[in-house]
Amino acid sequence: MKKIVKNGTIVTATDTYKADLLIEDGKIAMIGRNLDEKDAEVIDAKGCYVFPGGIDPHTHLDMPFGGTVTKDDFESGTIAAAFGGTTTIIDFCLTNKGEPLKKAIETWHNKAKGKAVIDYGFHLMISEINDDVLEELPKIIEEEGITSFKVFMAYKNVFQADDGTLYRTLVAAKELGALVMVHAENGDVIDYLTKKALADGNTDPIYHALTRPPEVEGEATGRACQLTELAGSQLYVVHVSCAQAVEKIAEARNKGLDIWGETCPQYLVLDQSYLEKPNFEGAKYVWSPPLREKWHQDVLWNALKNGQLQTLGSDQCSFDFKGQKELGRGDFTKIPNGGPMIEDRVSILFSEGVKKGRITLNQFVDIMSTRIAKLFGLFPKKGTIAVGADADLVIFDPNVERVISAETHHMSVDYNAFEGMKVTGEPVSVLSRGEFVIRDKTFVGKPGYGQYLNRARYGNYAVSKRDEKLTI
Ligand SMILES: NC(=O)NCCC(=O)O
Ligand SMILES: [Zn+2]
Ligand SMILES: [Zn+2]
């Protein structure tokens, strides 16, 4: 059945205006004033903004890590995402050295299939580059539409790749039309500092932050930028947390390099003192890079405002406090790294960003949706409100005030990192390809409704033959 969204204010990355939207066959069919309501279900968006659905470019659902598995899987994780106004996620597919990449991707498809309630794609972790990997990569781009590769510069002896692997990934990505993503922290220095901290008897959660100082993030970010320049390739730095990393990205962009930066809500509103909470509660705030001293928050907000950073990912990687974070009692290196962020990403950006005058409404849409769609080969199918685009829509009440809490959130973890935080604004209804997933703040979606997204190549490859099929 056709649907018409009426009386709302449409907001895109460039425009804010009052109009109705006609939805047909899951797509936006018409935008205009006083559209004919005949045979259509009318959705009243009075007093609300109508945004393109949020796109979360950074999630870890159902991921084994730190001797356990993230609590949220593709079902609970995508339901929580939808409640928060996100209609697309891109999750990280982990790979194992010596194993075909295709096998890892199959594993990830099996995790998501039948569970996701919104659309999803995958990034692919690159842990080694050899002849087998180089032979497989073009097929993975062609057949799977995975056009972004992730290299970890940290987590020594777990995920960490060496500089040669990063450089060769950058070269391959340039040739193939893919975007290389880096977790930029100097894993070798962290390894030394953590061993030293433990040897000195420093085992509390705060030492997670103290052994990963901002300089190790700045150094790795700068190194990744230099290697990108050398390879003539393109780079996306995930979860930027500090001034030192922003500085390196800004410097590289000023040189004209094709380098992008993402930050996360936790770095914008929480600080290092959270790791000092008593009774081991600091463990709830252990993720990498760690929370920083408060002054870094202003640097990150300014970077979003002036375009030095361009996107907001959640880095959703949730572990219960009880039984999971607690694995690290007496040894902070055993606390599984990560936090539950998928649900509050959009609301925090709106409340702390738009409502507090740090970014504009249109920048908000760009940062949480449009730019991400463009960088990761989903635009204009996703990330905007335009005729022909998927009807992924958020009807958002900008004035409602509420308090974030684990008691009311929809993630399956036993705490919320933003517990007690007052925010203004909330998604009322969320549609994915024209169907309600959230209706009047109630989940009405279906596990398995979410479709896998075969994404277009990066940048100028967007005109290639395969991508023409994806372009509307
Ligand atoms: N961020 C974090 O601590 N956990 C998820 C894995 C990663 O992104 O590094
Ligand atoms: Zn990371
Ligand atoms: Zn991550």
Side-chain angles (χ1 to χ4, degrees):
M1 191 191 190
K2 291 193 290 189
K3 292 186 178 79
I4 290 189
V5 182
K6 284 200 101 85
N7 306 320
T9 299
I10 294 173
V11 187
T12 68
T14 49
D15 300 298
T16 307
Y17 58 99
K18 281 203 174 284
D20 303 339
L21 290 175
L22 173 68
I23 301 169
E24 250 179 321
D25 299 325
K27 296 201 176 283
I28 296 167
M30 209 182 282
I31 304 173
R33 296 272 171 102
N34 305 315
L35 296 183
D36 184 3
E37 295 176 14
K38 195 166 167 288
D39 300 329
E41 177 187 353
V42 174
I43 303 164
D44 188 4
K46 193 163 188 298
C48 289
Y49 289 132
V50 183
F51 300 139
I55 303 176
D56 191 338
H58 190 155
T59 68
H60 305 277
L61 299 176
D62 197 0
M63 184 182 84
F65 193 31
T68 183
V69 179
T70 59
K71 192 73 195 306
D72 283 288
D73 64 7
F74 277 81
E75 185 168 329
S76 66
T78 57
I79 289 173
F83 269 108
T86 290
T87 54
T88 300
I89 61 159
I90 315 179
D91 200 80
F92 287 95
C93 168
L94 297 187
T95 57
N96 295 310
K97 280 186 183 164
E99 237 178 50
L101 301 174
K102 199 80 184 174
K103 188 167 170 221
I105 296 166
E106 237 173 72
T107 303
W108 242 255
H109 277 302
N110 289 333
K111 287 174 189 281
K113 217 182 298 161
K115 288 197 165 181
V117 306
I118 53 171
D119 293 350
Y120 59 94
F122 301 144
H123 310 289
L124 184 71
M125 173 190 169
I126 302 292
S127 42
E128 61 184 344
I129 289 277
N130 54 36
D131 290 347
D132 293 339
V133 170
L134 289 173
E135 197 184 313
E136 253 198 297
L137 283 180
K139 287 187 220 145
I140 278 156
I141 290 188
E142 271 304 316
E143 294 163 17
E144 297 282 344
I146 296 181
T147 52
S148 40
F149 306 145
K150 167 82 173 285
V151 177
F152 286 92
M153 300 170 81
Y155 303 125
K156 197 171 168 66
N157 301 323
V158 186
F159 296 149
Q160 187 173 331
D162 59 20
D163 288 348
T165 303
L166 172 57
Y167 179 69
R168 293 184 70 188
T169 305
L170 284 160
V171 171
K174 181 194 175 191
E175 282 164 13
L176 297 169
L179 182 57
V180 177
M181 309 169 80
V182 277
H183 172 133
E185 286 184 298
N186 186 321
D188 290 335
V189 173
I190 291 166
D191 184 57
Y192 170 77
L193 293 175
T194 50
K195 283 182 178 147
K196 185 170 180 316
L198 290 180
D200 292 346
N202 296 323
T203 60
D204 288 345
I206 185 63
Y207 287 96
H208 174 76
L210 300 179
T211 55
R212 307 177 90 101
E215 289 79 3
V216 302
E217 186 182 342
E219 185 281 327
T221 304
R223 186 161 26 109
C225 290
Q226 286 280 209
L227 293 177
T228 303
E229 182 172 22
L230 186 65
S233 190
Q234 48 269 348
L235 183 76
Y236 177 99
V237 185
V238 300
H239 51 41
V240 173
S241 75
C242 63
Q244 287 82 344
V246 169
E247 199 179 298
K248 294 294 177 191
I249 292 168
E251 194 181 291
R253 288 177 61 82
N254 284 342
K255 280 202 235 169
L257 301 184
D258 202 359
I259 288 176
W260 308 88
E262 165 201 277
T263 189
C264 309
Q266 51 275 31
Y267 302 119
L268 293 171
V269 298
L270 306 178
D271 65 72
Q272 193 176 296
S273 66
Y274 282 75
L275 281 95
E276 293 179 292
K277 284 192 180 239
N279 304 321
F280 196 62
E281 287 216 28
K284 293 178 177 174
Y285 305 90
V286 165
W287 45 73
S288 302
L291 291 173
R292 304 299 187 189
E293 288 174 2
K294 204 166 173 51
W295 64 268
H296 289 270
Q297 292 172 9
D298 286 340
V299 176
L300 297 174
W301 279 113
N302 283 338
L304 285 175
K305 171 100 191 150
N306 67 27
Q308 289 168 339
L309 297 177
Q310 301 78 29
T311 67
L312 192 76
S314 70
D315 196 6
Q316 164 77 17
C317 187
S318 60
F319 300 102
D320 271 340
F321 177 62
K322 289 211 167 59
Q324 292 192 296
K325 290 285 186 181
E326 281 180 336
L327 293 169
R329 271 192 199 274
D331 180 350
F332 70 91
T333 65
K334 296 201 166 63
I335 302 169
N337 282 205
M341 311 293 174
I342 202 166
E343 188 162 347
D344 302 308
R345 181 185 71 109
V346 171
S347 285
I348 287 176
L349 188 67
F350 181 81
S351 187
E352 290 290 312
V354 179
K355 282 282 178 181
K356 293 199 171 165
R358 289 166 163 142
I359 53 170
T360 68
L361 193 54
N362 306 105
Q363 280 181 315
F364 157 78
V365 172
D366 198 42
I367 290 165
M368 65 90 181
S369 180
T370 313
R371 182 66 62 132
I372 300 161
K374 289 177 177 171
L375 288 172
F376 293 104
L378 292 169
F379 188 85
K381 177 180 163 68
K382 306 283 190 195
T384 193
I385 293 180
V387 171
D390 281 359
D392 290 0
L393 301 169
V394 180
I395 298 169
F396 190 90
D397 179 343
N399 296 313
V400 64
E401 293 186 352
R402 63 196 175 92
V403 176
I404 295 178
S405 174
E407 279 175 24
T408 47
H409 78 197
H410 303 87
M411 296 174 284
S412 79
V413 271
D414 61 4
Y415 77 101
N416 189 304
F418 308 108
E419 186 71 36
M421 188 177 159
K422 287 189 188 135
V423 287
T424 306
E426 184 176 32
V428 177
S429 293
V430 177
L431 292 94
S432 162
R433 284 178 280 108
E435 299 298 330
F436 281 102
V437 182
I438 307 297
R439 185 171 199 151
D440 297 327
K441 303 187 189 179
T442 303
F443 176 65
V444 294
K446 261 203 318 269
Y449 173 80
Q451 289 180 355
Y452 176 71
L453 294 165
N454 201 293
R455 295 180 289 117
R457 290 177 206 233
Y458 179 77
N460 57 0
Y461 284 83
V463 293
S464 79
K465 227 174 165 28
R466 198 185 122 271
D467 301 331
E468 276 167 23
K469 281 187 260 159
L470 293 169
T471 311
I472 55 169

